[in-house]
Amino acid sequence: MSNIWIVKNEQEVDAQGVTFNLSSKNNKSNIKTDIENLWRMFRLENVSPIIEDFLIIGMAVFTVDKKISRKSSTDGWSRELNVHIPVLEIQKWLSVKTKLEKTLSFLSGDYWNLSFYATEERFRGDKINKDYSVKNRVSFDCVSLFSGGLDSFCGALRLMNEKMNPLFLGFKEYSLLIKRQQDLFKSIQEAYDQQNSDFVQFSVTPSKPVNINESVVGESTSRSRSFLFITGAVAVASVLGDNTPVFIPENGFIGINVPLTQSRSGSCSTRTTHPYFIKLLNEVLDEIGVTHQVKNFYSAKTKGEIVAEHKNNVVFQKQFKETLSCSHPCQGRYDGVSPPVNCGYCYPCLIRRASLIVNNFFDDRYNPNYTLNRSFIEKHNILDGKASDLKAVLFTMKRYVEKRHDQSFVRKLLRIQGPLTNEELNSYERVYRESLKEILQMIDYEEVTNGGGLKNYMDLKESYEELC
């Protein structure tokens, strides 16, 4: 079991294991962050103690997830992680320790053991940001995550169309994506200039532990980034006022996260908007006295249905090509394509393609070096190669076509990742079936326009019309 300590402001602790320091000064910290700007932008010195704890837990979990390699686990995936975290409200966190561990284990696929220890140290509460253009807290009535992806962009448009006054929150993990997020928000703000809205970004960048000299390999997957993202959003919501909601706009097909094949229940997709994760997370927040609930108003929609909601919106029509759904939007540089760009062949890009094609948007922008046809699969047909997601999607499509009349089989698939209520099961079964129809329509389109061979590769004879 990995034994990891998070130390706050150089507090003296008897740390035995890997140590990360969250210092009051970034130059002394091996977890670099500007998260304090989430409250300093309102000219506050601190957030409440319980919210500060939540942020520290979010940063700790993200750091551990990024820096402890899965290669050290016995099965190559699930790590045993014993993490010591300093908190101000220790009794409250001890009361939800088991449930929070369960929540994090569901999210990342690891075994989390959170060992809280008491501290009186406040994190970067030594000053306010007098140089920042001060935000008026009462001007906003919700917080919404804004990644720059198609769903979050559509979610932003929905909130503006409903006359909400959102504060959008972005995460600065890749420098090339920062400006793209800002430009997309600017297009929304200019179009809805009669409403209050704003956009803020924060970063958390872990480096190697303070007590290890050799280089640290780290981990390329990061399911916990979304948890950190949520802790930041809850912190902002706490400043805006009691009961301010936090929205995570994401389509239900990605949210339910049915494994594409029997062997792909690991790193392929996030579980952030799975209803079970959101349920557990909201229960934790409620039990520690935090009044902000996390919600996904797109959980009952396919991605194609989300696009349909906004396809006549001028802002959407002008900007949808600039959104980034790709799982690796910066890798285009290896092909001589200026990043960031949607690759067009990863799982999120395939779902994106389908959602746009069913709404007659055929001119989306992808890496031009790759075309979805049988030749693409044959050229990149290696384990974890570029064609691996496409092959998995074709397998899923073939499996569904063969089993589509077997409701018990489909519902069993939906329950694989986590428990669902009967109401959720009914809703997600509809979303799952309609999403696969969208994917088949995309495959039919690619057959005609890009040389074909995809359906023949998987011996898939049915067309979109036959499924409908």
Side-chain angles (χ1 to χ4, degrees), residues 2 59 98 101 135 153 183 195 199 226 236 280 292 299-300 322 329 336 341 419 461-462:
S2 298
M59 287 190 282
T98 300
E101 290 169 342
K135 309 297 177 188
F153 182 69
D183 289 345
Q195 292 168 244
F199 176 53
S226 54
V236 174
L280 290 175
H292 313 287
S299 64
E322 302 302 317
V341 65
K461 297 180 175 60
E462 289 78 0

Side-chain angles (χ1 to χ4, degrees), residues 144-161 164 166 168 180-199 310 313-316 318-320 323:
S144 187
L145 303 192
F146 191 79
S147 65
L150 191 60
D151 286 4
S152 72
F153 182 69
C154 288
L157 292 176
R158 174 169 174 163
L159 291 172
M160 303 308 288
N161 288 335
M164 301 287 283
F168 297 107
R180 183 66 62 88
Q181 292 177 353
Q182 293 169 343
D183 289 345
L184 285 168
F185 167 70
K186 186 178 179 181
S187 70
I188 295 170
Q189 189 179 46
E190 289 175 348
Y192 297 87
D193 58 359
Q194 299 302 307
Q195 292 168 244
N196 291 315
S197 65
D198 212 333
F199 176 53
H310 302 285
N313 185 309
V314 174
V315 183
F316 179 87
K318 288 182 177 179
Q319 299 294 330
F320 79 90
T323 62

Side-chain angles (χ1 to χ4, degrees), residues 99-128:
K99 183 167 287 185
L100 182 55
E101 290 169 342
K102 184 178 182 180
T103 305
L104 294 173
S105 294
F106 178 80
L107 178 66
S108 75
D110 299 299
Y111 303 101
W112 290 87
N113 177 38
L114 304 180
S115 299
F116 299 112
Y117 67 96
T119 184
E120 295 181 358
E121 295 283 336
R122 298 307 302 265
F123 184 65
R124 299 186 186 176
D126 56 338
K127 63 179 180 180
I128 59 177

Side-chain angles (χ1 to χ4, degrees), residues 72-351:
S72 63
S73 61
T74 55
D75 63 357
W77 178 257
S78 298
R79 299 159 295 188
E80 295 185 42
L81 303 166
N82 185 27
V83 190
H84 303 264
I85 304 175
V87 291
L88 299 159
E89 300 271 10
I90 190 166
Q91 292 305 318
K92 287 185 178 180
W93 290 109
L94 289 175
S95 71
V96 296
K97 167 182 156 64
T98 300
K99 183 167 287 185
L100 182 55
E101 290 169 342
K102 184 178 182 180
T103 305
L104 294 173
S105 294
F106 178 80
L107 178 66
S108 75
D110 299 299
Y111 303 101
W112 290 87
N113 177 38
L114 304 180
S115 299
F116 299 112
Y117 67 96
T119 184
E120 295 181 358
E121 295 283 336
R122 298 307 302 265
F123 184 65
R124 299 186 186 176
D126 56 338
K127 63 179 180 180
I128 59 177
N129 192 341
K130 295 181 180 179
D131 297 326
Y132 198 93
S133 177
V134 181
K135 309 297 177 188
N136 184 351
R137 283 181 261 176
V138 298
S139 298
F140 308 103
D141 51 24
C142 63
V143 179
S144 187
L145 303 192
F146 191 79
S147 65
L150 191 60
D151 286 4
S152 72
F153 182 69
C154 288
L157 292 176
R158 174 169 174 163
L159 291 172
M160 303 308 288
N161 288 335
E162 292 180 350
K163 306 302 181 184
M164 301 287 283
N165 300 295
L167 186 56
F168 297 107
L169 183 68
F171 184 61
K172 299 184 289 188
E173 187 167 14
Y174 303 109
S175 59
L176 290 170
L177 306 182
I178 295 172
K179 187 175 185 303
R180 183 66 62 88
Q181 292 177 353
Q182 293 169 343
D183 289 345
L184 285 168
F185 167 70
K186 186 178 179 181
S187 70
I188 295 170
Q189 189 179 46
E190 289 175 348
Y192 297 87
D193 58 359
Q194 299 302 307
Q195 292 168 244
N196 291 315
S197 65
D198 212 333
F199 176 53
V200 294
Q201 298 163 298
F202 74 101
S203 65
V204 176
T205 308
S207 54
K208 70 178 184 179
V210 295
N211 56 343
I212 292 181
N213 293 323
E214 65 268 21
S215 62
V216 178
V217 175
E219 180 56 45
S220 60
T221 61
S222 182
R223 280 186 171 182
S224 68
R225 176 179 58 183
S226 54
F227 178 68
L228 172 62
F229 208 170
I230 290 169
T231 65
V234 170
V236 174
S238 74
V239 176
L240 301 184
D242 290 345
N243 302 311
T244 301
V246 171
F247 296 120
I248 316 177
E250 187 170 66
N251 70 85
F253 184 70
I254 291 293
I256 199 64
N257 192 22
V258 173
L260 297 178
T261 70
Q262 290 93 328
S263 62
R264 288 175 68 102
S265 61
S267 61
C268 185
S269 302
T270 178
R271 294 178 175 178
T272 312
T273 53
H274 192 286
Y276 186 60
F277 171 75
I278 291 179
K279 173 181 176 290
L280 290 175
L281 180 63
N282 283 329
E283 287 178 357
V284 168
L285 292 173
D286 182 63
E287 289 173 24
I288 59 175
V290 174
T291 62
H292 313 287
Q293 293 287 283
V294 178
K295 304 175 182 181
N296 175 20
F297 47 69
Y298 280 149
S299 64
K301 283 183 176 286
T302 71
K303 201 177 189 78
E305 290 166 347
I306 293 172
V307 171
E309 183 180 304
H310 302 285
K311 66 181 181 181
N312 295 321
N313 185 309
V314 174
V315 183
F316 179 87
Q317 292 171 352
K318 288 182 177 179
Q319 299 294 330
F320 79 90
K321 294 180 190 177
E322 302 302 317
T323 62
L324 294 164
S325 306
C326 190
S327 59
H328 43 246
C330 298
Q331 286 191 9
R333 64 186 184 273
Y334 299 121
D335 298 311
V337 179
S338 297
V341 65
N342 292 302
C343 72
Y345 55 80
C346 71
Y347 179 49
C349 278
L350 295 172
I351 306 306

Side-chain angles (χ1 to χ4, degrees), residues 3 10 22 34 60 63 78 109 180 273 372 401 429 440 460:
N3 198 37
E10 294 90 35
L22 267 170
D34 59 3
T63 296
S78 298
R180 183 66 62 88
T273 53
L372 297 188
V401 167
E429 181 182 356
L440 187 55
L460 186 61

